[in-house]
Amino acid sequence: MKFLKLLLFPFSMVYGLIIWTRNRLFDFQILKSKSYDIPTIVVGNLAIGGTGKSPMTEFIIKLLKDKFKVATLSRGYGRETKGFRLVQTSSTANEVGDEPLQFKNKFPDITVSVCEDRCNGIENLMSTHEVIILDDAFQHRRLNPKFSILLFDYSSCLNPMFVLPMGNFRDLPAERKRADLILVTKTPNNATEREKEYIRSKLIRKSNVQDIIFTTIAYGQLITINGASLQISSHTDILLLTGIANPLPLIQHLKSRVNSIEHLAFRDHHAFDENDIKNIKEKFETIASDQKIILTTEKDAQRIRTPEFLKIFNTIPIAYLPIEIAFEHERIQHSVQDKLLSTCVRSVNES
């Protein structure tokens, strides 16, 4: 495996040079970035895959939605539509993407929108909103946001940070210097202080932040597709469906809480088709238990909440497990909240 990675090193060098050149063109204003008077908060990462952008975006929504007229703006990855689009609770994941649909279902009173051109999206929203939260827009250099939050997955920080295709970074790790706040997410419970100090020293170099903030995943109560709560026990057998980048933390969370887990893993943002539905049903029927359920993530639930899927599984309990971002200490959470609020208040007063 190491030998194969070494073979990819020249391609990573070429890719890295292209990305470095693009970033310098924006830094020297040869390629232009746009700024807006309205507070724009970017949540992003440098690697591909799940670093917890959605829970962080939801954390900001909860903080701001009762104080400002808030809108979220996402690309809408995996959608079959193009251009600017407002998300409705009646929308489908195929129309708007699974994460924006999750935001709208969770916070129906705020504006949720999608647009691959973030500047165009902002210009459609700014006259009727006070704050715009942009999910996964750190690489969108055409926008110069008011505040940028950059997320790193804990495990990725312990390994060498190579760009594609040798590694899993889509942008150069040195670009963290553009972030106003850096969070290390999915910190395991058994993380050592030595590991954390290593990560701090690694990330704080070539960055403008004063401290690295560690966060964990907080799991909520199971909720059925129909919105009811559901309990599991050590006697429960689970067929776990995931179409996310890194399901390992979820599996580790469930292992000590249930009797058994059968895992069907799909690629990130996978759109379930008829063959998938058939295979899922067959797999579920092979589990010899009276206490079995289908469990998925909140993001995946947006893509399986379709008439085709629910028609076949109408008598089978299907639930998802919500997650939230959790900070190591309450004072750290308050510090993050204060930074976000002060940015929004200052920008609103200046505009």
Side-chain angles (χ1 to χ4, degrees), residues 85-96 101 105 302:
R85 192 181 185 100
L86 293 174
V87 181
Q88 311 296 335
T89 53
S90 58
S91 300
T92 67
N94 287 340
E95 294 170 339
V96 298
L101 186 57
N105 283 327
Q302 313 307 315

Side-chain angles (χ1 to χ4, degrees), residues 153-171:
D153 176 87
Y154 186 93
S155 61
S156 72
C157 295
L158 298 174
N159 300 313
M161 295 178 175
F162 292 114
V163 296
L164 298 166
M166 185 176 177
N168 71 331
F169 277 75
R170 54 181 171 171
D171 205 342

Side-chain angles (χ1 to χ4, degrees), residues 146-320:
K146 296 288 186 183
F147 199 87
S148 291
I149 302 171
L150 187 59
L151 309 183
F152 287 87
D153 176 87
Y154 186 93
S155 61
S156 72
C157 295
L158 298 174
N159 300 313
M161 295 178 175
F162 292 114
V163 296
L164 298 166
M166 185 176 177
N168 71 331
F169 277 75
R170 54 181 171 171
D171 205 342
L172 297 169
E175 290 305 311
R176 61 187 178 274
K177 67 180 183 291
R178 294 189 281 113
D180 298 292
L181 185 67
I182 294 178
L183 270 62
V184 177
T185 61
K186 302 182 181 180
T187 305
N189 293 330
N190 60 354
T192 66
E193 283 304 317
R194 185 175 180 179
E195 287 177 344
K196 291 180 182 178
E197 189 52 43
Y198 168 75
I199 291 171
R200 283 191 189 95
S201 63
K202 185 176 185 178
L203 293 182
I204 210 139
R205 294 193 305 268
K206 299 182 181 179
S207 73
N208 295 321
V209 301
Q210 301 301 311
D211 193 20
I212 305 299
I213 294 173
F214 290 85
T215 67
T216 60
I217 297 172
Y219 291 93
Q221 294 296 314
L222 265 67
I223 301 173
T224 68
I225 293 294
N226 298 322
S229 60
L230 184 68
Q231 299 295 322
I232 56 172
S233 71
S234 58
H235 301 292
T236 306
D237 295 281
I238 286 177
L239 176 60
L240 179 64
L241 304 182
T242 62
I244 58 176
N246 181 17
L248 187 58
L250 173 58
I251 295 170
Q252 291 172 337
H253 171 77
L254 291 170
K255 269 185 177 178
S256 62
R257 292 168 171 80
V258 298
N259 182 50
S260 69
I261 302 171
E262 289 281 349
H263 185 203
L264 287 178
F266 298 87
R267 61 178 176 79
D268 200 11
H269 301 283
H270 178 75
F272 295 97
D273 59 25
E274 289 183 6
N275 272 339
D276 295 327
I277 294 171
K278 179 183 176 183
N279 292 335
I280 292 166
K281 188 172 187 294
E282 289 176 355
K283 188 71 173 178
F284 185 76
E285 289 172 347
T286 64
I287 300 174
S289 171
D290 294 329
Q291 299 186 43
K292 58 182 179 180
I293 66 168
I294 293 177
L295 181 62
T296 191
T297 69
E298 191 169 10
K299 186 174 82 169
D300 291 314
Q302 313 307 315
R303 284 179 274 111
I304 68 173
R305 198 184 275 117
T306 63
E308 296 81 10
F309 198 102
L310 298 180
K311 180 180 178 181
I312 293 177
F313 292 91
N314 62 335
T315 60
I316 295 172
I318 305 174
Y320 63 86

